[in-house]
Amino acid sequence: MTKPELQHIFATPLFATRIDMPDWDESLYEWKQNKQNRISLQQNVLDMPELELLRRSIDRNLRVFWRDFMTATCEAELKIQQSWVNVTDTGGSHHRHWHTNSMYSGVVFWCDHSAHIEFINPRYPQLDFDTATSHESNSAVWRVEPKLGLMLIFPSYLEHQVDSNSSGGERVSLSFNTWPQGTLTRDPTRALSVRSDTEPQKLTDWRDTNDK
């Protein structure tokens, strides 16, 4: 008798890596209230010369996500269309939301903090039941604890929110939205076919893009 296994099909990607961050300088930004937190009035902060090196690092990891993990071979590249800074002060939070006019979104944390980012499963709950442990196939919420330089990329449709900042100290992050630029497929009519010739990919596959 073969050992049973649970396969996770049509998974929601959540890419994570660590990058170097410049020193936090709040004086570079103007602010507006965003319900229970603050966001920068500047909505293209990664175009600022002070963040040039950070922009390069984010762009480089966007390409790793797109080419190595999503295994894109098309001409199109993911390009940042919008970027801004979020500050959640003590007692604040960030309401449940998603990102419109974007394909993939990302966040980079400017500090370690105990106020998690929470991603909400868009297909849950059809059944709400008690479990012994949580994993990719039975979770309603997926929590990630902010760490300095932690960068996440996720589909822009994926709803998320931020826990209440009850530990004190500012929780600072930079968010960005992307859209593909260039040709996505050489055969735009292939979506009309109900069958797919695509071979399944192993989630652990890794290809090095350094010399591309």
Side-chain angles (χ1 to χ4, degrees):
M1 179 177 179
T2 59
K3 183 180 179 180
E5 64 176 0
L6 178 65
Q7 298 183 5
H8 305 288
I9 64 171
F10 310 126
T12 301
L14 178 60
F15 174 84
T17 190
R18 295 291 285 269
I19 62 176
D20 293 330
M21 296 294 289
D23 292 336
W24 168 238
D25 185 356
E26 188 168 345
S27 67
L28 293 175
Y29 313 99
E30 299 178 68
W31 303 97
K32 66 176 292 185
Q33 194 66 26
N34 182 36
K35 296 188 177 180
Q36 298 299 316
N37 72 332
R38 293 181 285 142
I39 62 172
S40 61
L41 284 173
Q42 299 97 319
Q43 291 291 293
N44 291 286
V45 298
L46 287 174
D47 292 340
M48 299 168 61
E50 294 88 350
L51 300 183
E52 180 182 358
L53 293 179
L54 178 59
R55 171 65 179 261
R56 291 180 187 175
S57 183
I58 291 175
D59 282 339
R60 186 163 53 248
N61 281 282
L62 266 173
R63 195 168 195 274
V64 168
F65 165 73
W66 183 234
R67 297 296 178 187
D68 293 341
F69 286 88
M70 301 307 292
T71 69
T73 59
C74 57
E75 172 193 308
E77 296 283 359
L78 293 179
K79 297 295 184 180
I80 295 173
Q81 306 295 317
Q82 185 183 17
S83 55
W84 65 99
V85 177
N86 314 277
V87 175
T88 304
D89 296 302
T90 303
S93 61
H94 199 155
H95 58 280
R96 180 171 173 171
H97 65 286
W98 64 92
H99 294 203
T100 57
N101 302 320
S102 177
M103 182 173 179
Y104 291 103
S105 296
V107 60
V108 187
F109 298 104
W110 235 303
C111 62
D112 294 351
H113 208 282
S114 61
H116 293 64
I117 183 171
E118 298 183 342
F119 295 98
I120 293 98
N121 187 340
R123 297 181 292 268
Y124 193 93
Q126 184 175 9
L127 291 176
D128 185 10
F129 53 94
D130 297 334
T131 59
T133 186
S134 296
H135 54 68
E136 294 92 333
S137 288
N138 68 0
S139 295
V141 174
W142 200 263
R143 295 180 176 88
V144 179
E145 183 176 352
K147 298 292 183 182
L148 176 63
L150 175 62
M151 174 179 167
L152 305 175
I153 300 173
F154 50 91
S156 300
Y157 66 77
L158 188 61
E159 289 188 275
H160 51 286
Q161 60 191 19
V162 175
D163 286 341
S164 176
N165 179 1
S166 58
S167 62
E170 291 180 334
R171 180 193 187 277
V172 185
S173 64
L174 183 150
S175 299
F176 57 89
N177 289 332
T178 71
W179 196 258
Q181 289 185 5
T183 302
L184 287 167
T185 177
R186 289 168 296 191
D187 180 11
T189 66
R190 70 178 184 175
L192 301 176
S193 174
V194 295
R195 65 181 291 272
S196 172
D197 296 323
T198 303
E199 292 294 327
Q201 297 286 334
K202 294 180 180 179
L203 296 180
T204 54
D205 281 352
W206 169 264
R207 293 185 295 111
D208 190 356
T209 58
N210 289 337
D211 43 353
K212 290 185 176 65

